[in-house]
Amino acid sequence: SSDAIEKIWQFKSESGTRLEISTRNLVLVSEKHNSYHEGGEKSFRNIIEKTVSEFFNLIQLPAVQRVGLRYLNECPLFDKTTKTFKDCYNSILPVDRFGLENLSRADCIAVAKVGDMQIQRIEGLRFVPTGDSLLLDLDASTENITSDKVIATADKLHDLIASEFRTVIKEPIV
């Protein structure tokens, strides 16, 4: 029944990486910045590869319904001026229309298909006493992947997210 409770197992490493396993999902979450490629054993790609490999050794799945990779970043607003904001970011927010100085909140979502992948880009302004920021949420995914292609697919999703990130952040911020 749709009211059935989904079993969830959660494991957390000392480094802050969390693994959640349910009857429908396997999710890896890093609570702090992890480079996808850099860091050898500690790179997020290596963590994904080891986890997926061990999981598929235990559970023989021929295919995966969805593979996704998500990147969240809080980009600092150095001051609350439209000029500085535009000097730092290529945003999809309506800053030109209203002026950053006049905005108390702004959020925008764009979802696009890129080949056999999809990317969702969410941007939002956060004005808080501890420091104003542009919240950048990039979520790339694709569907119906054979199990042996999960890591290669994650690599393609990472490349898509990295490319999208570089379109938002201007030099010298990058």
Side-chain angles (χ1 to χ4, degrees), residues 34 42 56 64 69 71 75 85 103 127-128 131 154 163 168 174:
N34 262 10
K42 294 181 180 182
F56 288 150
V64 176
L69 197 59
Y71 175 81
C75 309
F85 183 82
L103 289 168
F127 300 111
V128 295
S163 173
V168 178
V174 174

Side-chain angles (χ1 to χ4, degrees), residues 3-173:
D3 295 331
I5 295 174
E6 189 174 307
K7 294 199 183 260
I8 298 176
W9 294 270
Q10 188 176 92
F11 307 92
K12 190 169 186 176
S13 73
E14 290 178 7
S15 65
T17 302
R18 190 173 69 244
L19 170 64
E20 298 172 0
I21 301 172
S22 71
T23 54
R24 295 184 38 85
N25 297 307
L26 181 143
V27 177
L28 273 170
V29 177
S30 177
E31 299 291 334
K32 59 184 180 178
H33 178 268
N34 262 10
S35 173
Y36 188 78
H37 287 292
E38 303 299 319
E41 291 284 314
K42 294 181 180 182
S43 74
F44 201 59
R45 184 192 189 280
N46 189 60
I47 293 168
I48 293 169
E49 189 170 26
K50 281 186 171 184
T51 303
V52 167
S53 173
E54 290 296 323
F55 184 77
F56 288 150
N57 282 340
L58 294 171
I59 311 290
Q60 306 296 311
L61 293 176
V64 176
Q65 189 175 20
R66 180 183 182 274
V67 176
L69 197 59
R70 186 174 182 197
Y71 175 81
L72 299 166
N73 194 10
E74 288 190 38
C75 309
L77 298 183
F78 300 103
D79 62 37
K80 197 175 174 184
T81 65
T82 301
K83 182 188 178 330
T84 301
F85 183 82
K86 291 183 68 177
D87 286 347
C88 297
Y89 306 111
N90 287 313
S91 175
I92 58 176
L93 294 171
V95 172
D96 282 332
R97 168 129 169 73
F98 297 106
L100 185 67
E101 302 83 355
N102 301 316
L103 289 168
S104 59
R105 180 172 177 183
D107 295 287
C108 190
I109 300 172
V111 179
K113 193 157 178 59
V114 180
D116 61 346
M117 299 177 287
Q118 175 177 291
I119 187 154
Q120 175 179 276
R121 175 172 159 180
I122 301 174
E123 289 186 27
L125 293 175
R126 300 295 174 259
F127 300 111
V128 295
T130 55
D132 301 335
S133 63
L134 167 67
L135 176 65
L136 182 60
D137 180 344
L138 301 170
D139 188 350
S141 64
T142 190
E143 296 179 347
N144 302 319
I145 304 300
T146 59
S147 297
D148 63 329
K149 301 266 194 270
V150 168
I151 300 304
T153 299
D155 290 344
K156 286 174 52 181
L157 296 171
H158 170 264
D159 292 346
L160 178 60
I161 287 173
S163 173
E164 191 67 22
F165 180 81
R166 285 189 297 274
T167 68
V168 178
I169 311 299
K170 293 183 178 179
E171 293 288 344
I173 306 298

